[in-house]
Amino acid sequence: MNEINTTSANIMMIPIILPLICGIMILFISEKTKYVREFFSILVTLVSFWACLKIFKLGPNSELVINWFSSYTLNFKLDYLSLFLISSVSMFSLLISIYSISIENKGNPKIFYFLLLLTQAASAGVVLSDSLLMLLFFWESMVIMLYLFVYISSDKPQTRATALKTFLINGISDIAMMIGIAMVYYITSTFSMTEISKTKIIMSGWGTFSFFLILVGTLTKAGAFPFHTWIPQAALHSNAPFMAYIPAAIDKLLGIYFLARITLYIYQINQTVQIILMSIGAITIIAAVMMAFIQSDYKKLLSYHAVSQTGYMILGISSLNPVGIAGGLFHMINHASYKSCLFMTAGSVEKQTGINDISRLGGLFSRMPVTAICFIISAAAISGIAPLNGFFSKELVYKGSLMTGYNIFFYAAEIGSILTLASFLKLGHSVFFGKINDNLKETKEAPLSVLIPMIALAVICIVFGFGAHLPISKLIYPSVTTLGYSTQVELAGFHFDNLFLISMVVIIIALSNHLIGFSITGKAHKASDHIHFAPIFHSLYDWAEKGYFDLYEISKKLFRSFSNILFKIDRFFDMLIDKLPSTITLKISSQVSSIHRGIYNYYMLAIFLFAVIYMMYLGGIKW
Amino acid sequence: MEKILISTVGLGIIAPFAFPIITKLSENLRNIIAVIITGLIFIFNCILMQNSFSTQATYNITFIPLMDLTLRVDALSAFMATVSSLTSLVIIIYSIDYISHYENRTEYYTMVVLFIGAMMGLVYSTNLIWMYIFWEITGFVSWRLVGFFRSDKDTLKANKTILITVFGAIVMLAGILYVGLKYDTFDMRELVGKELDMTAGFLILAGILSKSAILPFSTWLPDAGVAPSTVTALLHAAVLVKIGTFAYAKLFGTVFLIPVEFNYTVLIIAGITAIVSGGAALVDTDIKRIIAYSTISQLSFIFLGLAVGTQQAFYGAILYILMHSVAKASLFLCAGIIEQKTHTKDITKMGGLIKTMPLTALSFALSAFSVMGLPPFGGFFAKFLVMKGAVETNDIIIILMFFIGTTMTTLYLSRLFYYIFLGNEKINSPEEGSPTMVASVLFMAFLGLLLGIMISYPSSYAEMISNTLYIGGIVK
């Protein structure tokens, strides 16, 4: 048993409590002050990040139990996996705090930084909680932040509709998760993940049911198919800092973290479930990357990739072998860094030019060299080009999925890689290369506050690539062992094996595809048209753009007709207790009153008849 | 303690009859006295609640045999009385501005304070017959208040309200007589642990369901939305409709033993109600009708917690009563501000009000979050506990019904918020409500948040109630 460390138990509360208190304080900082909120927020996130580094030195394995309500407690528990997550969360909060200083379209800065710090506190709460109820508490509270983040971006009606969609998709999936967690308690009589992991829940009856309910919440957070549809829409209607912070980084980190916890730690999943999970991963990769490929909006294109890359992580985790799991977790942090960086470049370009449409951009390399270089590094990383970080994590995922024996998932992942690279060639080519438009000639490089976080993330992409050994041995492998897996296989390291050759082939196919597309139309942003308007794809894409595959739109229609029926049922009951009795009463009373006409003869007859019958009754006549 | 108990009940019942005379002196004096009386009742209840576990104050007035008026404090009734008087106090303060430009103000205050008094009597009396008498007084008050505006349409709806609830109450009276004559007493203290057969159970249930607006007796509640918003908040969200849930908790949770099929029937009825009213709330376009439908659907969640049959679910339901009273009263009061300032109740004619009424929008949103059950609002804990109860029934139908019910709660409340506050601006220059009114709704909204953050206080009290009183009786 590891010894419990009390010092780090106290330090681990810093990333939760400090942002929470300071986030509320930000609301009370006067509107007139300039940059106070920004620096306050940077300071807070910096301290949280420092606290995480401090814990690294002291070593994790600490616990803190606080009474909450009734017999439930707040169980804070720090192991390697949660330490890894909480450090990443703090780091991204810090970088986004810096990045957002000079981005104007982030909405009211007061609310923005308030939300940023609160989101940090809630996500720290999620990763540090050992109790499922407490996890749910922090997890679900983020829905409100998510809604407000989108809502404050602009005043347009579309933004409001998107905010509502974001809220509903996340809110309803959290309800599913709530019921799932209640079922876990019903099965195991405890909320403690450590306790549950000792026996694990097996896949039968309520066990399976609860797994899938929790899975819905997890996949929605991670942004996997089919619960991803709010992300591309939010990319269109919200701002770059939000996209770089939540859908690119925090949501992925938390979603995949909890996916790993449930599939590996608290459930004993069987082969059927494994195949379902791997299929979800593969479908997510292909479906989202296909959509990403044809986009012409900078951020929307990136957002589809944010969905598609989730597929790799799911694939890695659900391979259920240490290599794949390490790949999934490594891909999670890698993806967060390069996708955050990519969204930042999008924000940088948007800030300097005011344009998101890639068909109107071009040749910005000479005007914004730092942004362009950061873009190239992170785009290469996401496309899995050696020796950047994306290459290594994808290799591990490929290996992991090959080890399961279901090679089809491996092919799906490789096709995804081809399309990823192809769409980034298209994006990079049309934004940073080619001929520059006249109205963009005056464009300048973005300010330092925008560049620093981008550079930092690009450096991470390189360091985690060349020096993959460091994160693997310090962060990833300890996390894998926390989940109860271990391996003798060397996870980090560069191998000249078949997988490397395949990655070369992928690059060649993607390049030639881009060149073909470019030579047909002569315009970089139309390099995907030869696939977009190919016979079958054309109609598929059409349907997808119209939202036929969007679970949200489908259920919206379903619920509309369902509730119309329910309304009719309600009206039926109203008729039953209102109209019906009153009509019957009216009928009866009008009948009865028609007898009472005031004619004495009738009355006398009635009295006489009654008297006769009564006397017969008294006389003992049997009926 | 006994003196406090009798003054809690007596004050609300006797004082309002002086209102017509006081009005002759000064309108303001009457308003102030009404607020003071409600405030006193609230403070008295707090004192009673604090001591409810140690000393159980009892007060006895002798009438004809079997019908002694016995008032007695136990933890559950003290809790219910405190929650009701707290929301009533806020609503009365809000009323001062809201009602000031309508007619029949004296009747309004008389009836509202009388209602609070009758509510206290109902909650504290241990005699079933007296419970029924107070029950009918609340029905009568509700009839006067729903018909407050006196147009033909209003009186029609008021008649519907009283006809349905009185019909239920009379059926319940039959049930009470049946039980009382069988065991030769109407005193709940002597009836504890007695078995109740299905016939008596369903007779009493009819009264409970009609008062708490559960299918098939639910539709009077949306119709009663013609009343002033304060009345809807007081009667049809926070207090009156909770009478049914209180009676269920008291009779079937702490007094009688009931067959297991009975509870299951209630669960099914509640589940259907949650879905049907949720669907109706998604279709209707009248702001107050939607909130009323939402009340119906939330009430069925309380019945879910009460009927599951575990201590945890029971205490979840008690928490739910508290959280829902606070949040839903706030929603109706917000609707009152909106209705007064925009002069319409049709949500399709509203839109973009967040710009002109930011504080109302904030309170509305916070209260809606609490009703939806989002953390860190109080509603989250209550909802989680009753949903946990639903899972413990081990019955897939129940779980699915309430899953859909919860989903619909989220849907209709976000639809409502979207239509009123976001959407396109359609009404010119509405303005924020008066300071007292806005302060009241903000208070309620933040109270919901506070109850969630400091959940250990209300929950430990609710848990103690269920630990000490709940007998979870099921006839084997």
Side-chain angles (χ1 to χ4, degrees), chain A residues 150 153 162-163 165-166 229-239 242-243 247 299 303:
Chain A
V150 182
S153 301
T162 310
K165 185 172 179 175
T166 307
T229 48
W230 64 274
I231 301 176
Q233 214 166 318
L236 273 185
H237 301 306
S238 75
N239 51 66
F242 162 71
M243 291 306 289
K299 282 188 288 181
S303 71

mmCIF file with all atom_site columns, all heavy atoms in Angstrom, chain A residues 150 153 162-163 165-166 229-239 242-243 247 299 303:
data_model
loop_
_atom_site.group_PDB
_atom_site.id
_atom_site.type_symbol
_atom_site.label_atom_id
_atom_site.label_alt_id
_atom_site.label_comp_id
_atom_site.label_asym_id
_atom_site.label_entity_id
_atom_site.label_seq_id
_atom_site.pdbx_PDB_ins_code
_atom_site.Cartn_x
_atom_site.Cartn_y
_atom_site.Cartn_z
_atom_site.occupancy
_atom_site.B_iso_or_equiv
_atom_site.pdbx_formal_charge
_atom_site.auth_seq_id
_atom_site.auth_comp_id
_atom_site.auth_asym_id
_atom_site.auth_atom_id
_atom_site.pdbx_PDB_model_num
ATOM 1   N N   . VAL A 1 150 ? -21.277 29.881 -24.249 1.00 0.00 ? 150 VAL A N   1
ATOM 2   C CA  . VAL A 1 150 ? -21.762 30.088 -25.612 1.00 0.00 ? 150 VAL A CA  1
ATOM 3   C C   . VAL A 1 150 ? -22.651 31.322 -25.659 1.00 0.00 ? 150 VAL A C   1
ATOM 4   O O   . VAL A 1 150 ? -22.557 32.146 -26.559 1.00 0.00 ? 150 VAL A O   1
ATOM 5   C CB  . VAL A 1 150 ? -22.535 28.851 -26.118 1.00 0.00 ? 150 VAL A CB  1
ATOM 6   C CG1 . VAL A 1 150 ? -22.995 29.063 -27.547 1.00 0.00 ? 150 VAL A CG1 1
ATOM 7   C CG2 . VAL A 1 150 ? -21.670 27.625 -26.029 1.00 0.00 ? 150 VAL A CG2 1
ATOM 8   N N   . SER A 1 153 ? -21.184 34.865 -26.038 1.00 0.00 ? 153 SER A N   1
ATOM 9   C CA  . SER A 1 153 ? -20.344 35.165 -27.198 1.00 0.00 ? 153 SER A CA  1
ATOM 10  C C   . SER A 1 153 ? -20.917 36.281 -28.058 1.00 0.00 ? 153 SER A C   1
ATOM 11  O O   . SER A 1 153 ? -20.172 37.126 -28.543 1.00 0.00 ? 153 SER A O   1
ATOM 12  C CB  . SER A 1 153 ? -20.173 33.927 -28.066 1.00 0.00 ? 153 SER A CB  1
ATOM 13  O OG  . SER A 1 153 ? -19.598 32.926 -27.319 1.00 0.00 ? 153 SER A OG  1
ATOM 14  N N   . THR A 1 162 ? -27.801 27.973 -30.477 1.00 0.00 ? 162 THR A N   1
ATOM 15  C CA  . THR A 1 162 ? -26.685 27.062 -30.255 1.00 0.00 ? 162 THR A CA  1
ATOM 16  C C   . THR A 1 162 ? -26.463 26.830 -28.772 1.00 0.00 ? 162 THR A C   1
ATOM 17  O O   . THR A 1 162 ? -26.218 25.695 -28.339 1.00 0.00 ? 162 THR A O   1
ATOM 18  C CB  . THR A 1 162 ? -25.405 27.642 -30.863 1.00 0.00 ? 162 THR A CB  1
ATOM 19  O OG1 . THR A 1 162 ? -25.679 28.036 -32.190 1.00 0.00 ? 162 THR A OG1 1
ATOM 20  C CG2 . THR A 1 162 ? -24.296 26.621 -30.849 1.00 0.00 ? 162 THR A CG2 1
ATOM 21  N N   . ALA A 1 163 ? -26.569 27.919 -28.005 1.00 0.00 ? 163 ALA A N   1
ATOM 22  C CA  . ALA A 1 163 ? -26.388 27.774 -26.559 1.00 0.00 ? 163 ALA A CA  1
ATOM 23  C C   . ALA A 1 163 ? -27.429 26.820 -25.996 1.00 0.00 ? 163 ALA A C   1
ATOM 24  O O   . ALA A 1 163 ? -27.123 25.963 -25.171 1.00 0.00 ? 163 ALA A O   1
ATOM 25  C CB  . ALA A 1 163 ? -26.492 29.133 -25.880 1.00 0.00 ? 163 ALA A CB  1
ATOM 26  N N   . LYS A 1 165 ? -28.961 24.427 -27.617 1.00 0.00 ? 165 LYS A N   1
ATOM 27  C CA  . LYS A 1 165 ? -28.631 23.071 -28.067 1.00 0.00 ? 165 LYS A CA  1
ATOM 28  C C   . LYS A 1 165 ? -27.533 22.480 -27.193 1.00 0.00 ? 165 LYS A C   1
ATOM 29  O O   . LYS A 1 165 ? -27.640 21.335 -26.736 1.00 0.00 ? 165 LYS A O   1
ATOM 30  C CB  . LYS A 1 165 ? -28.170 23.140 -29.523 1.00 0.00 ? 165 LYS A CB  1
ATOM 31  C CG  . LYS A 1 165 ? -27.900 21.805 -30.160 1.00 0.00 ? 165 LYS A CG  1
ATOM 32  C CD  . LYS A 1 165 ? -27.633 21.984 -31.640 1.00 0.00 ? 165 LYS A CD  1
ATOM 33  C CE  . LYS A 1 165 ? -27.345 20.655 -32.296 1.00 0.00 ? 165 LYS A CE  1
ATOM 34  N NZ  . LYS A 1 165 ? -27.191 20.775 -33.739 1.00 0.00 ? 165 LYS A NZ  1
ATOM 35  N N   . THR A 1 166 ? -26.510 23.277 -26.932 1.00 0.00 ? 166 THR A N   1
ATOM 36  C CA  . THR A 1 166 ? -25.422 22.842 -26.063 1.00 0.00 ? 166 THR A CA  1
ATOM 37  C C   . THR A 1 166 ? -25.961 22.424 -24.700 1.00 0.00 ? 166 THR A C   1
ATOM 38  O O   . THR A 1 166 ? -25.633 21.353 -24.183 1.00 0.00 ? 166 THR A O   1
ATOM 39  C CB  . THR A 1 166 ? -24.444 24.013 -25.864 1.00 0.00 ? 166 THR A CB  1
ATOM 40  O OG1 . THR A 1 166 ? -24.067 24.507 -27.130 1.00 0.00 ? 166 THR A OG1 1
ATOM 41  C CG2 . THR A 1 166 ? -23.225 23.588 -25.096 1.00 0.00 ? 166 THR A CG2 1
ATOM 42  N N   . THR A 1 229 ? -23.087 16.910 -31.904 1.00 0.00 ? 229 THR A N   1
ATOM 43  C CA  . THR A 1 229 ? -23.495 17.892 -32.907 1.00 0.00 ? 229 THR A CA  1
ATOM 44  C C   . THR A 1 229 ? -23.478 19.336 -32.418 1.00 0.00 ? 229 THR A C   1
ATOM 45  O O   . THR A 1 229 ? -23.541 20.246 -33.230 1.00 0.00 ? 229 THR A O   1
ATOM 46  C CB  . THR A 1 229 ? -24.891 17.559 -33.439 1.00 0.00 ? 229 THR A CB  1
ATOM 47  O OG1 . THR A 1 229 ? -25.725 17.310 -32.329 1.00 0.00 ? 229 THR A OG1 1
ATOM 48  C CG2 . THR A 1 229 ? -24.841 16.339 -34.310 1.00 0.00 ? 229 THR A CG2 1
ATOM 49  N N   . TRP A 1 230 ? -23.398 19.521 -31.097 1.00 0.00 ? 230 TRP A N   1
ATOM 50  C CA  . TRP A 1 230 ? -23.356 20.915 -30.651 1.00 0.00 ? 230 TRP A CA  1
ATOM 51  C C   . TRP A 1 230 ? -21.993 21.534 -30.902 1.00 0.00 ? 230 TRP A C   1
ATOM 52  O O   . TRP A 1 230 ? -21.866 22.753 -31.012 1.00 0.00 ? 230 TRP A O   1
ATOM 53  C CB  . TRP A 1 230 ? -23.720 21.021 -29.174 1.00 0.00 ? 230 TRP A CB  1
ATOM 54  C CG  . TRP A 1 230 ? -22.771 20.342 -28.240 1.00 0.00 ? 230 TRP A CG  1
ATOM 55  C CD1 . TRP A 1 230 ? -22.795 19.029 -27.862 1.00 0.00 ? 230 TRP A CD1 1
ATOM 56  C CD2 . TRP A 1 230 ? -21.660 20.918 -27.567 1.00 0.00 ? 230 TRP A CD2 1
ATOM 57  N NE1 . TRP A 1 230 ? -21.771 18.767 -27.003 1.00 0.00 ? 230 TRP A NE1 1
ATOM 58  C CE2 . TRP A 1 230 ? -21.057 19.906 -26.804 1.00 0.00 ? 230 TRP A CE2 1
ATOM 59  C CE3 . TRP A 1 230 ? -21.118 22.201 -27.529 1.00 0.00 ? 230 TRP A CE3 1
ATOM 60  C CZ2 . TRP A 1 230 ? -19.934 20.143 -26.016 1.00 0.00 ? 230 TRP A CZ2 1
ATOM 61  C CZ3 . TRP A 1 230 ? -20.002 22.423 -26.737 1.00 0.00 ? 230 TRP A CZ3 1
ATOM 62  C CH2 . TRP A 1 230 ? -19.416 21.406 -25.999 1.00 0.00 ? 230 TRP A CH2 1
ATOM 63  N N   . ILE A 1 231 ? -20.955 20.715 -31.016 1.00 0.00 ? 231 ILE A N   1
ATOM 64  C CA  . ILE A 1 231 ? -19.599 21.275 -31.106 1.00 0.00 ? 231 ILE A CA  1
ATOM 65  C C   . ILE A 1 231 ? -19.379 22.054 -32.403 1.00 0.00 ? 231 ILE A C   1
ATOM 66  O O   . ILE A 1 231 ? -18.954 23.217 -32.354 1.00 0.00 ? 231 ILE A O   1
ATOM 67  C CB  . ILE A 1 231 ? -18.536 20.169 -30.914 1.00 0.00 ? 231 ILE A CB  1
ATOM 68  C CG1 . ILE A 1 231 ? -18.729 19.508 -29.549 1.00 0.00 ? 231 ILE A CG1 1
ATOM 69  C CG2 . ILE A 1 231 ? -17.141 20.744 -31.003 1.00 0.00 ? 231 ILE A CG2 1
ATOM 70  C CD1 . ILE A 1 231 ? -17.805 18.357 -29.289 1.00 0.00 ? 231 ILE A CD1 1
ATOM 71  N N   . PRO A 1 232 ? -19.682 21.464 -33.591 1.00 0.00 ? 232 PRO A N   1
ATOM 72  C CA  . PRO A 1 232 ? -19.490 22.258 -34.808 1.00 0.00 ? 232 PRO A CA  1
ATOM 73  C C   . PRO A 1 232 ? -20.344 23.527 -34.815 1.00 0.00 ? 232 PRO A C   1
ATOM 74  O O   . PRO A 1 232 ? -19.892 24.578 -35.286 1.00 0.00 ? 232 PRO A O   1
ATOM 75  C CB  . PRO A 1 232 ? -19.933 21.309 -35.914 1.00 0.00 ? 232 PRO A CB  1
ATOM 76  C CG  . PRO A 1 232 ? -19.845 19.967 -35.342 1.00 0.00 ? 232 PRO A CG  1
ATOM 77  C CD  . PRO A 1 232 ? -20.088 20.093 -33.895 1.00 0.00 ? 232 PRO A CD  1
ATOM 78  N N   . GLN A 1 233 ? -21.554 23.406 -34.271 1.00 0.00 ? 233 GLN A N   1
ATOM 79  C CA  . GLN A 1 233 ? -22.419 24.586 -34.268 1.00 0.00 ? 233 GLN A CA  1
ATOM 80  C C   . GLN A 1 233 ? -21.863 25.665 -33.332 1.00 0.00 ? 233 GLN A C   1
ATOM 81  O O   . GLN A 1 233 ? -21.892 26.854 -33.659 1.00 0.00 ? 233 GLN A O   1
ATOM 82  C CB  . GLN A 1 233 ? -23.816 24.180 -33.825 1.00 0.00 ? 233 GLN A CB  1
ATOM 83  C CG  . GLN A 1 233 ? -24.882 24.977 -34.521 1.00 0.00 ? 233 GLN A CG  1
ATOM 84  C CD  . GLN A 1 233 ? -26.234 24.339 -34.315 1.00 0.00 ? 233 GLN A CD  1
ATOM 85  O OE1 . GLN A 1 233 ? -26.380 23.119 -34.391 1.00 0.00 ? 233 GLN A OE1 1
ATOM 86  N NE2 . GLN A 1 233 ? -27.233 25.147 -34.048 1.00 0.00 ? 233 GLN A NE2 1
ATOM 87  N N   . ALA A 1 234 ? -21.329 25.227 -32.191 1.00 0.00 ? 234 ALA A N   1
ATOM 88  C CA  . ALA A 1 234 ? -20.727 26.188 -31.269 1.00 0.00 ? 234 ALA A CA  1
ATOM 89  C C   . ALA A 1 234 ? -19.507 26.830 -31.898 1.00 0.00 ? 234 ALA A C   1
ATOM 90  O O   . ALA A 1 234 ? -19.210 27.997 -31.663 1.00 0.00 ? 234 ALA A O   1
ATOM 91  C CB  . ALA A 1 234 ? -20.347 25.497 -29.968 1.00 0.00 ? 234 ALA A CB  1
ATOM 92  N N   . ALA A 1 235 ? -18.785 26.065 -32.736 1.00 0.00 ? 235 ALA A N   1
ATOM 93  C CA  . ALA A 1 235 ? -17.605 26.624 -33.397 1.00 0.00 ? 235 ALA A CA  1
ATOM 94  C C   . ALA A 1 235 ? -17.996 27.800 -34.279 1.00 0.00 ? 235 ALA A C   1
ATOM 95  O O   . ALA A 1 235 ? -17.273 28.789 -34.383 1.00 0.00 ? 235 ALA A O   1
ATOM 96  C CB  . ALA A 1 235 ? -16.916 25.551 -34.225 1.00 0.00 ? 235 ALA A CB  1
ATOM 97  N N   . LEU A 1 236 ? -19.151 27.691 -34.916 1.00 0.00 ? 236 LEU A N   1
ATOM 98  C CA  . LEU A 1 236 ? -19.603 28.772 -35.795 1.00 0.00 ? 236 LEU A CA  1
ATOM 99  C C   . LEU A 1 236 ? -20.027 29.995 -34.989 1.00 0.00 ? 236 LEU A C   1
ATOM 100 O O   . LEU A 1 236 ? -19.757 31.123 -35.386 1.00 0.00 ? 236 LEU A O   1
ATOM 101 C CB  . LEU A 1 236 ? -20.805 28.306 -36.622 1.00 0.00 ? 236 LEU A CB  1
ATOM 102 C CG  . LEU A 1 236 ? -20.536 27.602 -37.934 1.00 0.00 ? 236 LEU A CG  1
ATOM 103 C CD1 . LEU A 1 236 ? -21.855 27.344 -38.625 1.00 0.00 ? 236 LEU A CD1 1
ATOM 104 C CD2 . LEU A 1 236 ? -19.641 28.441 -38.817 1.00 0.00 ? 236 LEU A CD2 1
ATOM 105 N N   . HIS A 1 237 ? -20.711 29.766 -33.868 1.00 0.00 ? 237 HIS A N   1
ATOM 106 C CA  . HIS A 1 237 ? -21.383 30.890 -33.212 1.00 0.00 ? 237 HIS A CA  1
ATOM 107 C C   . HIS A 1 237 ? -20.707 31.360 -31.940 1.00 0.00 ? 237 HIS A C   1
ATOM 108 O O   . HIS A 1 237 ? -21.188 32.278 -31.299 1.00 0.00 ? 237 HIS A O   1
ATOM 109 C CB  . HIS A 1 237 ? -22.829 30.519 -32.906 1.00 0.00 ? 237 HIS A CB  1
ATOM 110 C CG  . HIS A 1 237 ? -23.598 30.145 -34.124 1.00 0.00 ? 237 HIS A CG  1
ATOM 111 N ND1 . HIS A 1 237 ? -23.674 30.966 -35.204 1.00 0.00 ? 237 HIS A ND1 1
ATOM 112 C CD2 . HIS A 1 237 ? -24.274 29.029 -34.451 1.00 0.00 ? 237 HIS A CD2 1
ATOM 113 C CE1 . HIS A 1 237 ? -24.390 30.372 -36.143 1.00 0.00 ? 237 HIS A CE1 1
ATOM 114 N NE2 . HIS A 1 237 ? -24.758 29.191 -35.702 1.00 0.00 ? 237 HIS A NE2 1
ATOM 115 N N   . SER A 1 238 ? -19.638 30.694 -31.518 1.00 0.00 ? 238 SER A N   1
ATOM 116 C CA  . SER A 1 238 ? -18.999 31.194 -30.305 1.00 0.00 ? 238 SER A CA  1
ATOM 117 C C   . SER A 1 238 ? -17.583 31.661 -30.641 1.00 0.00 ? 238 SER A C   1
ATOM 118 O O   . SER A 1 238 ? -17.273 31.920 -31.789 1.00 0.00 ? 238 SER A O   1
ATOM 119 C CB  . SER A 1 238 ? -18.992 30.126 -29.228 1.00 0.00 ? 238 SER A CB  1
ATOM 120 O OG  . SER A 1 238 ? -18.030 29.159 -29.516 1.00 0.00 ? 238 SER A OG  1
ATOM 121 N N   . ASN A 1 239 ? -16.750 31.760 -29.619 1.00 0.00 ? 239 ASN A N   1
ATOM 122 C CA  . ASN A 1 239 ? -15.448 32.381 -29.836 1.00 0.00 ? 239 ASN A CA  1
ATOM 123 C C   . ASN A 1 239 ? -14.308 31.376 -29.716 1.00 0.00 ? 239 ASN A C   1
ATOM 124 O O   . ASN A 1 239 ? -14.476 30.278 -29.196 1.00 0.00 ? 239 ASN A O   1
ATOM 125 C CB  . ASN A 1 239 ? -15.265 33.501 -28.831 1.00 0.00 ? 239 ASN A CB  1
ATOM 126 C CG  . ASN A 1 239 ? -15.552 33.027 -27.437 1.00 0.00 ? 239 ASN A CG  1
ATOM 127 O OD1 . ASN A 1 239 ? -14.845 32.196 -26.910 1.00 0.00 ? 239 ASN A OD1 1
ATOM 128 N ND2 . ASN A 1 239 ? -16.650 33.500 -26.847 1.00 0.00 ? 239 ASN A ND2 1
ATOM 129 N N   . PHE A 1 242 ? -13.135 30.024 -26.059 1.00 0.00 ? 242 PHE A N   1
ATOM 130 C CA  . PHE A 1 242 ? -14.031 29.002 -25.533 1.00 0.00 ? 242 PHE A CA  1
ATOM 131 C C   . PHE A 1 242 ? -13.776 27.664 -26.220 1.00 0.00 ? 242 PHE A C   1
ATOM 132 O O   . PHE A 1 242 ? -13.673 26.627 -25.567 1.00 0.00 ? 242 PHE A O   1
ATOM 133 C CB  . PHE A 1 242 ? -15.488 29.426 -25.727 1.00 0.00 ? 242 PHE A CB  1
ATOM 134 C CG  . PHE A 1 242 ? -16.474 28.298 -25.611 1.00 0.00 ? 242 PHE A CG  1
ATOM 135 C CD1 . PHE A 1 242 ? -16.735 27.727 -24.387 1.00 0.00 ? 242 PHE A CD1 1
ATOM 136 C CD2 . PHE A 1 242 ? -17.111 27.793 -26.729 1.00 0.00 ? 242 PHE A CD2 1
ATOM 137 C CE1 . PHE A 1 242 ? -17.626 26.674 -24.271 1.00 0.00 ? 242 PHE A CE1 1
ATOM 138 C CE2 . PHE A 1 242 ? -17.998 26.743 -26.630 1.00 0.00 ? 242 PHE A CE2 1
ATOM 139 C CZ  . PHE A 1 242 ? -18.257 26.186 -25.398 1.00 0.00 ? 242 PHE A CZ  1
ATOM 140 N N   . MET A 1 243 ? -13.660 27.706 -27.569 1.00 0.00 ? 243 MET A N   1
ATOM 141 C CA  . MET A 1 243 ? -13.452 26.452 -28.302 1.00 0.00 ? 243 MET A CA  1
ATOM 142 C C   . MET A 1 243 ? -12.125 25.818 -27.907 1.00 0.00 ? 243 MET A C   1
ATOM 143 O O   . MET A 1 243 ? -12.023 24.599 -27.762 1.00 0.00 ? 243 MET A O   1
ATOM 144 C CB  . MET A 1 243 ? -13.486 26.708 -29.816 1.00 0.00 ? 243 MET A CB  1
ATOM 145 C CG  . MET A 1 243 ? -14.831 27.077 -30.371 1.00 0.00 ? 243 MET A CG  1
ATOM 146 S SD  . MET A 1 243 ? -16.131 25.911 -29.972 1.00 0.00 ? 243 MET A SD  1
ATOM 147 C CE  . MET A 1 243 ? -15.693 24.507 -30.969 1.00 0.00 ? 243 MET A CE  1
ATOM 148 N N   . PRO A 1 247 ? -14.344 22.594 -25.652 1.00 0.00 ? 247 PRO A N   1
ATOM 149 C CA  . PRO A 1 247 ? -14.474 21.404 -26.497 1.00 0.00 ? 247 PRO A CA  1
ATOM 150 C C   . PRO A 1 247 ? -13.121 20.790 -26.865 1.00 0.00 ? 247 PRO A C   1
ATOM 151 O O   . PRO A 1 247 ? -13.017 19.586 -27.013 1.00 0.00 ? 247 PRO A O   1
ATOM 152 C CB  . PRO A 1 247 ? -15.196 21.924 -27.748 1.00 0.00 ? 247 PRO A CB  1
ATOM 153 C CG  . PRO A 1 247 ? -15.813 23.186 -27.339 1.00 0.00 ? 247 PRO A CG  1
ATOM 154 C CD  . PRO A 1 247 ? -14.912 23.772 -26.315 1.00 0.00 ? 247 PRO A CD  1
ATOM 155 N N   . LYS A 1 299 ? -12.954 27.487 -37.931 1.00 0.00 ? 299 LYS A N   1
ATOM 156 C CA  . LYS A 1 299 ? -13.199 26.873 -36.632 1.00 0.00 ? 299 LYS A CA  1
ATOM 157 C C   . LYS A 1 299 ? -14.096 25.655 -36.742 1.00 0.00 ? 299 LYS A C   1
ATOM 158 O O   . LYS A 1 299 ? -13.929 24.692 -36.002 1.00 0.00 ? 299 LYS A O   1
ATOM 159 C CB  . LYS A 1 299 ? -13.827 27.908 -35.680 1.00 0.00 ? 299 LYS A CB  1
ATOM 160 C CG  . LYS A 1 299 ? -12.806 28.878 -35.130 1.00 0.00 ? 299 LYS A CG  1
ATOM 161 C CD  . LYS A 1 299 ? -13.390 29.756 -34.051 1.00 0.00 ? 299 LYS A CD  1
ATOM 162 C CE  . LYS A 1 299 ? -14.342 30.756 -34.633 1.00 0.00 ? 299 LYS A CE  1
ATOM 163 N NZ  . LYS A 1 299 ? -14.934 31.649 -33.642 1.00 0.00 ? 299 LYS A NZ  1
ATOM 164 N N   . SER A 1 303 ? -13.432 21.983 -35.394 1.00 0.00 ? 303 SER A N   1
ATOM 165 C CA  . SER A 1 303 ? -14.316 21.365 -34.405 1.00 0.00 ? 303 SER A CA  1
ATOM 166 C C   . SER A 1 303 ? -14.684 19.943 -34.817 1.00 0.00 ? 303 SER A C   1
ATOM 167 O O   . SER A 1 303 ? -14.782 19.064 -33.970 1.00 0.00 ? 303 SER A O   1
ATOM 168 C CB  . SER A 1 303 ? -15.565 22.202 -34.226 1.00 0.00 ? 303 SER A CB  1
ATOM 169 O OG  . SER A 1 303 ? -16.364 22.095 -35.365 1.00 0.00 ? 303 SER A OG  1
#
